Amino acid sequence: ASVTALVLAAGLSSRFMGKIKGLTVVGAHGETLLEISIRQLKALGVTDLCVITSDATRAQIEGLLGSSFLGLPVCYTTQTRPAWRAKPLGTVHAIAAAAGLVQHPFVVVNADTIYGKDAIAPIVNYLIANKDDSAACTAYLLKNCLPENGSKVNRAVMHRDADGWLTSIEEQYNISTTDVGSTYTGDELTSLNIFGFRPAHLALAQARLDTWVAALQAKNAANPPAPGAKEPEYILADFVNELRVEGALKLRVLGPTTDSPLEITHPEDAALMAAALASSGQL
């Protein structure tokens, strides 16, 4: 059975002086974060890669991975920023760039995150075992996926029914560890954009993106945003929830895993990730 990893690698990090976070060296033998992530994906059943790049990241990513990496075939596509935007349109825009390229069930992963085997394996196994058009997502516990330094992040909180099917998913903004015990218990089921989808979902993503863009442009024409205003993005959590509400998508919430994902946000996180990888045996 074939399962593709759809790797989101289009972004440059302002906190990393415009560098690609996934190319940060964190391995004991000089491996980058992306190399270690792909090694883990391969070990857990992924059979090929489709990498979403941007014009700014394509050359470096392709230079590292080539057309085959660790024996996995690699294809590339580009998330292009519209001329009327300062930034791309969000994670739905990113996966829609792969419409027509991905032929197998696929798992979405960020290029700058190491999710851990207990997060990846359940999705890969679900996609192989279930031949229907349902999707899947491994849940983390909110308390395990907040930066220890107290910096604020966005996280999608999920709810499911007794059979494990998603009943809601909603992005929560500017959460930090200080919110646990007050606004949140810390045991909320949380998505980190690690979704298992089918190829048909990419066409849906493109169609929904087109609708979202048309609505946004109409809104901007009626009420032009202020210069420098934060640009809205169409994110996977909103896409999934819209389809769920309409009955167009069933998504099984797996887990939760008690692992903590390894992410890089600030340059100083690289040393912490290297130490965590060495101690966890994920290298």
Side-chain angles (χ1 to χ4, degrees):
S2 298
V3 175
T4 301
L6 189 61
V7 183
L8 307 187
L12 295 173
S13 173
S14 57
R15 291 169 174 156
F16 267 71
M17 297 168 289
K19 295 180 180 179
I20 304 169
K21 289 192 288 184
L23 299 187
T24 304
V25 173
V26 294
H29 305 288
E31 305 96 328
T32 64
L33 191 167
L34 183 56
E35 289 176 278
I36 293 171
S37 176
I38 292 172
R39 184 193 304 166
Q40 189 173 83
L41 289 164
K42 178 183 178 181
L44 296 171
V46 164
T47 54
D48 61 282
L49 308 170
C50 182
V51 185
I52 311 295
T53 63
S54 63
D55 291 336
T57 67
R58 176 68 172 266
Q60 289 186 70
I61 298 287
E62 192 167 358
L64 174 68
L65 302 181
S67 60
S68 177
F69 189 76
L70 298 178
L72 302 181
V74 186
C75 73
Y76 300 88
T77 186
T78 301
Q79 181 183 11
T80 304
R81 177 182 61 81
W84 51 277
R85 293 267 298 195
K87 293 184 177 181
L89 298 165
T91 43
V92 177
H93 184 208
I95 72 165
L101 280 176
V102 174
Q103 307 300 322
H104 309 300
F106 62 95
V107 55
V108 179
V109 294
N110 291 335
D112 58 3
T113 304
I114 295 176
Y115 291 92
K117 66 181 189 305
D118 288 343
I120 295 168
I123 295 184
V124 172
N125 294 339
Y126 182 90
L127 293 173
I128 292 172
N130 295 274
K131 306 300 183 183
D132 56 17
D133 60 356
S134 62
C137 176
T138 300
Y140 291 85
L141 299 178
L142 179 62
K143 63 189 176 187
N144 292 337
C145 51
L146 296 174
E148 292 181 4
N149 64 7
S151 60
K152 293 183 179 296
V153 293
N154 303 335
R155 294 289 185 252
V157 171
M158 303 182 289
H159 296 89
R160 60 184 173 185
D161 64 19
D163 295 320
W165 296 108
L166 181 76
T167 58
S168 72
I169 177 170
E170 184 175 359
E171 193 83 356
Q172 308 291 311
Y173 294 91
N174 298 317
I175 306 175
S176 71
T177 50
T178 59
D179 297 311
V180 174
S182 54
T183 309
Y184 305 95
T185 67
D187 290 328
E188 288 84 1
L189 301 179
T190 306
S191 157
L192 283 182
N193 268 0
I194 178 170
F195 290 100
F197 290 125
R198 317 286 174 172
H201 294 141
L202 293 173
L204 268 176
Q206 183 61 62
R208 295 307 174 106
L209 177 66
D210 291 343
T211 300
W212 183 88
V213 167
L216 177 63
Q217 289 183 314
K219 178 182 177 183
N220 288 349
N223 296 287
K230 184 175 175 61
E231 294 178 316
E233 295 185 359
Y234 191 26
I235 59 174
L236 286 174
D238 291 344
F239 167 68
V240 166
N241 207 48
E242 288 170 11
L243 295 182
R244 180 199 62 80
V245 169
E246 296 169 18
L249 178 72
K250 291 188 70 176
L251 184 143
R252 181 65 65 84
V253 179
L254 308 170
T257 173
T258 55
D259 280 354
S260 295
L262 299 177
E263 298 178 281
I264 285 186
T265 304
H266 303 90
E268 59 268 25
D269 295 339
L272 297 175
M273 177 179 279
L277 284 168
S279 64
S280 68
Q282 293 191 63
L283 282 172

